[in-house]
Amino acid sequence: MTTAGGGVRARARILARHRAPGGTFLPVLESDGPLALRRTRAGGDEARVVLVGAMSGPLGGDRFEVEAEADTGARLRVQSAAATLALPGQSKSEARYDVRVRVADRAELCWLPEPLISVRGSDLRVRTDVDVAPGGRLVLREEQVLGRAGEEPGRLVSRLTVRTGGLCVLDQEVACGPGAPGGWDGPAVLAGHRAVGQVVVVRPEFGERPVAAGRIGDLCVVMPLAGPAALVSAVAADGLRLRRLLDEGLAAIG
Amino acid sequence: MSRAALLVLADGRFPAGGHAHSGGAEEAVKAGRITGAADLEDFCRGRLHTAGLVAASLAAAAALGVPARELDAAADARTPSPALRAAARKLGRQLTRAARATWPSDELDALAREFPKGAHQPVVLGLAARAAGLGAEDAAHCAAYESVSGAATATVRLLSLDPFAATGVLARLAPEVDLVADAAVEAAGRVRGEGCGALPAAGAPVLEIGAEVHAGWAVRLFAS
């Protein structure tokens, strides 16, 4: 961790590797300052890691990076202990949070953090970049909550890019809060909802047997993407309702 | 370039089938999210800065000569809703037919061969602009304007909204249409160096979700 230019720079890394017979170990588990990683009890042959916020943040000017990689045949689940709060900082500049996820052939990675809450006055840009090898499997959830209870949100721009076998199957950016392009809160984009989220699922078998599109709730659907992947997309009044919808959508995918 | 060619391409009467689509307005009206001119403006503004920006940048990149295959894949990745992907291809096929008849060109012929089921409409729009002797800015303006004009026209029919009010919405959005077209051209210019990741990916979750809901209706006035 370094502090420079009015913000904290931190980079955490996880590497999961398959070890015969039937196990996954973590040759790399690097925490850094506010990004603390804890290994928790494994479930079967799956290694589990919890991201624990050791400080508050990200604050304005901070630059966080998390890298998670599941090597050939490894199974890794990453969760977080609590919601991430994007907070205003001393620095006037935006905060950055970059997540890079790599899933190798026959590996499976579940990236299931708690929501990101955009607090009033914060300014955060999130970039999530995912690469899945042709035989790899992924479940990745992201949830954004606009403001704490009854609070206006900060500015949040979050882009999620998922590639599998070199093909980009999903590239979506959501921008909201003060300074976001007009209409973000209007009837085409978030329609006044305060929570927005998605779960993307990549499985090789979806290439031949895509999931069926279906409606889960009022504003939640399951959609087959153009490639071996599916997406649950939802907006809701709050984070709890959003989670329920996304869980239901994920269950519908099976 | 010919300014009149731009008017022909941008004309709502250009026979490319756009009038059959509401740009999500039909579902939004039924769900009560658009009830009048103020909601329509908000709806169109959100559409312009998301789907409109993406469409304008795809059209501009196609007009600059970026291969259609790459742009079509980029459009797929930016359109999670299968109903919207199908609608975009259907519109693309219709536009290909109309543009080939209007501005015969080898590139449009090649596009029709490469995408017998249709490429995403903004990609075709960019190539049609190219065939008409127009540039990236023209293509981006066409796509950005179309991203709101179709929804406004549809809402007049859906809500029996005063057509003057709907046109007023479009006129008020005009400066933002210009800004979106400029941003789209700037991004399209970076595709050669940086790849299609340089194209905007602004998403509108409610439009995508609403398109899936709309596709499930037994009876619809508009195709999307």
Side-chain angles (χ1 to χ4, degrees), chain A residues 168-204:
Chain A
C168 185
V169 291
L170 183 68
D171 200 346
Q172 285 283 279
E173 181 173 280
V174 167
C176 47
W184 66 268
D185 204 17
V189 186
L190 295 181
H193 294 86
R194 281 295 168 262
V196 53
Q198 49 192 348
V199 183
V200 56
V201 181
V202 178
R203 287 180 198 160

Side-chain angles (χ1 to χ4, degrees), chain A:
Chain A
M1 179 182 88
T2 56
T3 54
V8 172
R9 294 180 76 95
R11 180 163 174 258
R13 287 178 63 216
I14 308 163
L15 172 62
R17 197 162 272 163
H18 175 71
R19 175 167 50 193
T24 295
F25 74 113
L26 301 170
V28 178
L29 188 66
E30 281 177 18
S31 302
D32 190 11
L35 300 170
L37 300 171
R38 301 280 180 268
R39 179 171 192 161
T40 62
R41 207 145 58 99
D45 59 353
E46 177 188 74
R48 292 184 176 173
V49 172
V50 174
L51 184 60
V52 184
M55 289 160 60
S56 59
L59 279 65
D62 287 355
R63 173 107 202 224
F64 292 1
E65 285 175 63
V66 180
E67 278 181 40
E69 182 175 353
D71 204 0
T72 311
R75 295 187 63 206
L76 172 65
R77 174 183 292 254
V78 182
Q79 292 167 291
S80 64
T84 300
L85 285 162
L87 296 162
Q90 301 274 326
S91 163
K92 290 279 176 274
S93 57
E94 68 175 16
R96 299 278 308 259
Y97 202 134
D98 290 326
V99 175
R100 271 190 300 281
V101 174
R102 299 283 176 269
V103 187
D105 187 32
R106 286 179 286 115
E108 178 167 3
L109 199 152
C110 296
W111 181 265
L112 300 165
E114 293 305 302
L116 169 68
I117 302 175
S118 173
V119 169
R120 192 165 84 131
S122 66
D123 184 1
L124 176 66
R125 183 176 290 270
V126 180
R127 186 83 177 80
T128 306
D129 192 83
V130 185
D131 241 311
V132 184
R137 299 163 79 83
L138 171 85
V139 178
L140 180 141
R141 177 180 70 213
E142 59 167 36
E143 297 162 316
Q144 287 109 19
V145 176
L146 311 189
R148 292 168 295 198
E151 176 189 61
E152 285 304 302
R155 178 172 175 272
L156 175 65
V157 179
S158 179
R159 184 162 177 172
L160 169 63
T161 306
V162 181
R163 282 176 302 273
T164 175
L167 172 75
C168 185
V169 291
L170 183 68
D171 200 346
Q172 285 283 279
E173 181 173 280
V174 167
C176 47
W184 66 268
D185 204 17
V189 186
L190 295 181
H193 294 86
R194 281 295 168 262
V196 53
Q198 49 192 348
V199 183
V200 56
V201 181
V202 178
R203 287 180 198 160
E205 59 266 32
F206 287 165
E208 298 210 331
R209 291 188 305 278
V211 300
R215 188 177 184 183
I216 299 300
D218 196 21
L219 281 170
C220 176
V221 293
V222 174
M223 301 179 281
L225 297 176
L231 185 75
V232 185
S233 178
V235 296
D238 57 49
L240 277 174
R241 288 183 175 89
L242 177 70
R243 175 66 61 87
R244 275 206 294 271
L245 290 169
L246 293 178
D247 282 350
E248 219 181 304
L250 195 53
I253 289 175

Side-chain angles (χ1 to χ4, degrees), chain B residues 109-206:
Chain B
D109 292 347
L111 181 78
R113 277 195 304 275
E114 195 176 2
F115 295 92
K117 292 180 174 173
H120 277 261
Q121 193 268 359
V123 180
V124 182
L125 182 63
L127 280 170
R130 216 170 135 84
L134 297 164
E137 266 183 57
D138 304 311
H141 267 95
C142 261
Y145 180 67
E146 264 183 13
S147 78
V148 291
S149 62
T153 310
T155 304
V156 170
R157 290 172 63 188
L158 290 161
L159 278 182
S160 301
L161 187 73
D162 177 1
F164 294 139
T167 304
V169 165
L170 295 177
R172 279 193 295 282
L173 286 172
E176 284 174 72
V177 170
D178 288 337
L179 290 175
V180 163
D182 289 347
V185 171
E186 187 275 326
R190 289 190 281 114
V191 170
R192 281 212 193 278
E194 298 172 30
C196 285
L199 295 170
V206 171

Side-chain angles (χ1 to χ4, degrees), chain B residues 92-109:
Chain B
R93 192 174 64 233
Q94 289 168 334
L95 180 56
T96 305
R97 196 162 60 215
R100 284 173 83 194
T102 313
W103 297 288
S105 97
D106 292 346
E107 282 183 348
L108 286 173
D109 292 347

